[in-house]
Amino acid sequence: MSSLSLKNFAFGALSLTVMQNYLVLSGGFGSSPYVRQRLVESLTLRGPDGNLDADGMHILVADEPQLVVVHGLVLDRIQKIKSDVVTFGSRCAPVSYGIICDKIYHPEKHIGEAVRHDPRDKMTYAIDQIDWLVIQGRPIPSTGLTKQFQLKIDPGRESEPWRVSIVMSTLPPDQIPHNLSSKGAQRICDLDISTDSVDKKLKNRHWYSMKPAFWRSTFDVRVVVGPADLSFQLWSRDKRIQASKHEPIAVNWMPASNFN
């Protein structure tokens, strides 16, 4: 970091903490002796004799500054397991996450979009739509989020795996795309699920039904919030569905005030 940028950083911090008496440095950046010295020079007050003023800001360095984040995550997890105490009641993600699905076609909403007609319920659907589960800047409870989805399966294909795709967008909430044909969303992971243990109900099974029979499967997509990441799980009948796993998605959680 250049001398100028460090000076600007220091005075920026001063304007935000003008009523504070202490500044604690942590992490790899905070463990730098050079950074500490420059902050001392910029943020502490000196008397007429050139010595540090006792009423000025005190610059402190955390014990093992490069490990404080890890220690904090471990303590947070221990506290949750032992006492069921949650440090943060809710968190906000800096990006949005959603699931690709088909939605019932509305002429005024899906103009010019690809559609399909389903003879099983005689409905028209807009395909490759995005149902956003996590919205940038909106609080997510520590218990996570859950949303129910349905899947139609033709008889004889019950044992075939099905794929659920997760996408993300860095655009503001009022600009996030509602389908894959629009710019601003990218696929980040796929979950191949087994429908053997999914709640299923046979529809159009009666002899007088004129529409093809099919299995209607119902499952929940759960957003699981971790200390520094989130993951997606599929559940049915209060049991987790057997599915391919994905690496937890790293998230820099932020307070809601940052998005106001």
Side-chain angles (χ1 to χ4, degrees):
M1 179 178 288
S2 67
S3 175
L4 177 61
S5 60
L6 181 58
K7 183 178 181 181
N8 291 340
F9 165 79
F11 281 108
L14 178 60
S15 64
L16 293 174
T17 58
V18 65
M19 300 301 294
Q20 303 300 319
N21 294 324
Y22 296 92
L23 175 64
V24 180
L25 304 181
S26 63
F29 181 74
S31 64
S32 168
Y34 172 73
V35 171
R36 182 177 184 277
Q37 180 59 35
R38 292 307 307 274
L39 289 174
V40 168
E41 294 174 358
S42 298
L43 297 180
T44 55
L45 301 177
R46 295 181 180 273
D49 56 358
N51 295 322
L52 294 180
D53 191 333
D55 294 330
M57 179 177 288
H58 298 271
I59 310 298
L60 306 178
V61 179
D63 294 335
E64 299 182 295
Q66 294 178 320
L67 298 178
V68 291
V69 175
V70 175
H71 288 165
L73 293 176
V74 172
L75 291 174
D76 178 69
R77 183 58 178 166
I78 292 175
Q79 182 174 260
K80 177 67 173 66
I81 294 175
K82 288 187 174 182
S83 307
D84 197 28
V85 175
V86 179
T87 304
F88 300 102
S90 62
R91 312 180 190 196
C92 294
V95 298
S96 300
Y97 298 93
I99 185 172
I100 300 175
C101 62
D102 295 346
K103 293 186 177 182
I104 297 176
Y105 174 75
H106 294 284
E108 66 282 357
K109 185 178 180 181
H110 301 116
I111 299 176
E113 297 187 23
V115 300
R116 67 174 178 85
H117 179 72
D118 195 331
R120 295 170 293 190
D121 58 9
K122 295 186 177 181
M123 299 285 290
T124 300
Y125 293 86
I127 65 174
D128 290 337
Q129 302 295 298
I130 303 175
D131 198 328
W132 295 102
L133 306 177
V134 176
I135 305 295
Q136 179 190 101
R138 294 185 184 176
I140 306 173
S142 59
T143 53
L145 299 171
T146 300
K147 193 163 188 177
Q148 188 177 87
F149 290 86
Q150 292 185 352
L151 176 68
K152 297 189 184 77
I153 305 174
D154 293 329
R157 303 184 62 186
E158 297 89 346
S159 60
E160 294 183 13
W162 292 85
R163 174 164 293 182
V164 175
S165 298
I166 307 297
V167 297
M168 65 165 285
S169 177
T170 58
L171 295 177
D174 59 344
Q175 299 179 24
I176 53 177
H178 297 287
N179 56 70
L180 284 181
S181 61
S182 302
K183 295 181 179 180
Q186 66 180 80
R187 194 189 306 258
I188 56 175
C189 67
D190 295 316
L191 299 177
D192 294 321
I193 65 174
S194 171
T195 58
D196 291 338
S197 58
V198 177
D199 183 29
K200 292 189 288 288
K201 184 176 182 180
L202 185 61
K203 307 295 292 183
N204 299 338
R205 67 184 187 278
H206 300 293
W207 64 269
Y208 52 80
S209 178
M210 302 297 292
K211 293 177 288 188
F214 67 94
W215 290 98
R216 185 180 66 189
S217 300
T218 303
F219 61 93
D220 294 330
V221 176
R222 294 188 181 182
V223 180
V224 181
V225 177
D229 56 36
L230 61 79
S231 59
F232 296 88
Q233 297 178 357
L234 306 178
W235 288 69
S236 181
R237 299 174 180 171
D238 295 325
K239 294 182 179 180
R240 187 173 177 179
I241 301 173
Q242 181 180 353
S244 58
K245 296 182 179 180
H246 70 88
E247 291 296 324
I249 302 167
V251 178
N252 293 320
W253 298 114
M254 305 179 72
S257 58
N258 286 22
F259 299 92
N260 294 335

